[in-house]
Amino acid sequence: MKRAPSVLASVPIVLDELPLRIDRDLVLRYQGYKTSLDVPTADVLALFEEALALGERLMAPQVVYRAVGVTDRGADRIEAGGERLHIPQIGRLWGPIEAIGAGICTVGDAIEARVRELFDAREFPLAVMLDSVGSAAAESLAEYANDLLCQAAIPERLKVTNRISPGYAGWDVAEQERLFRLCPGAPIGVGLNSACFMSPGKSISWLVGIGPEARVDHYFTQCRRCWMRDCAYRRVPAASTVRAG
Ligand code: SF4
């Protein structure tokens, strides 16, 4: 990455050259394996390693991010940048926030293109595994962006919440359009169709809350796999990381 993001960046900033590592456990979960219950066979693991190597070569992680001051908020509502977002229980989940950070991340379209080629060639097991690798890469990237924002907020004495996305936890996917108006995907080549599906498909849009009293970790302990080893604000030991190197 060329520079650290500013958590209160008011114009969209693009982050690239991100040292991302794909979360292996997540790939296997997408394949239906439950950690500590299911043990993949040697054949599955060989396929997994092949798909992982392919995915790491093909992915091109990019993030676009912009922060907007909150003008009003309620139990289930945030208003910012002329947009009204209806998010169930967000007042309780995030507590007092002063700004929101809207972000879009993608690992590009090369993985999907290769998956299509593999399906056309009837190489179904590798195609399906590579598709899971692409999904896990996008998820790892979103988590990494969340970590970067938390890190960037510390010198500004601000806190950053866990991310949420349209279409999850009761937030209507139709509000994807509002999120894109707050932070356009165009700078990283991510578009939105009329059904609110993003293209490339291996992309994730998300929102975080920002403020000195923001409530962090509302569904996940962010520090658990954050790479920032010497962070004086770490709340729990790191279990793993999605940062390479
Ligand atoms: S260790 Fe925790 S507090 Fe520190 S930057 Fe990472 S997520 Fe934030």
Side-chain angles (χ1 to χ4, degrees):
M1 193 182 65
K2 288 167 190 152
R3 61 196 169 97
S6 166
V7 74
L8 293 177
S10 59
V11 294
I13 54 171
V14 171
L15 309 175
D16 53 18
E17 298 178 26
L18 299 164
L20 183 69
R21 175 185 291 149
I22 297 169
D23 184 336
R24 294 173 173 236
D25 289 347
L26 193 52
V27 178
L28 290 173
R29 279 213 297 282
Y30 286 143
Q31 289 280 306
Y33 290 89
K34 296 189 183 74
T35 315
S36 78
L37 283 181
D38 300 321
V39 181
T41 63
D43 284 354
V44 170
L45 284 177
L47 190 67
F48 167 68
E49 293 295 344
E50 185 181 356
L52 191 67
L54 194 53
E56 284 177 340
R57 274 205 310 279
L58 293 172
M59 70 178 179
Q62 282 191 300
V63 178
V64 60
Y65 170 80
R66 179 186 172 218
V68 186
V70 169
T71 50
D72 199 8
R73 58 192 173 90
D76 306 298
R77 168 181 58 85
I78 298 172
E79 293 185 32
E83 302 292 340
R84 177 178 286 207
L85 305 172
H86 302 89
I87 307 171
Q89 302 194 54
I90 200 63
R92 177 182 65 79
L93 295 174
W94 282 0
I97 55 166
E98 296 181 353
I100 51 173
I104 299 165
C105 61
T106 186
V107 293
D109 57 10
I111 293 179
E112 284 171 282
R114 188 75 182 106
V115 167
R116 280 194 298 274
E117 287 171 6
L118 288 165
F119 271 117
D120 290 346
R122 304 185 68 76
E123 291 193 46
F124 300 127
L126 184 58
V128 171
M129 187 66 87
L130 183 59
D131 188 66
S132 294
V133 164
S135 299
E139 192 67 25
S140 294
L141 180 56
E143 276 306 312
Y144 183 43
N146 213 153
D147 293 345
L148 284 175
L149 292 173
C150 183
Q151 178 202 2
I154 290 170
E156 301 186 51
R157 298 180 186 278
L158 294 169
K159 293 178 184 167
V160 173
T161 67
N162 291 140
R163 66 190 162 92
I164 56 171
S165 295
Y168 292 88
W171 187 10
D172 192 338
V173 72
E175 297 208 352
Q176 187 83 276
E177 290 178 353
R178 297 177 190 186
L179 193 151
F180 265 65
R181 284 198 291 270
L182 290 170
C183 180
I188 57 168
V190 178
L192 196 62
N193 70 14
S194 57
C196 290
F197 283 112
M198 287 178 283
S199 176
K202 302 305 182 193
S203 304
I204 295 176
S205 63
W206 39 265
L207 195 76
V208 293
I210 303 163
E213 305 300 330
R215 191 170 294 152
V216 297
D217 297 344
H218 82 269
Y219 83 98
F220 176 79
T221 306
Q222 196 67 35
C223 307
R224 198 172 295 286
R225 27 136 297 304
C226 176
W227 55 274
M228 198 177 172
R229 282 189 205 94
D230 300 326
C231 177
Y233 297 83
R234 178 176 287 283
R235 297 179 288 278
V236 297
S240 62
T241 177
V242 291
R243 184 179 191 268

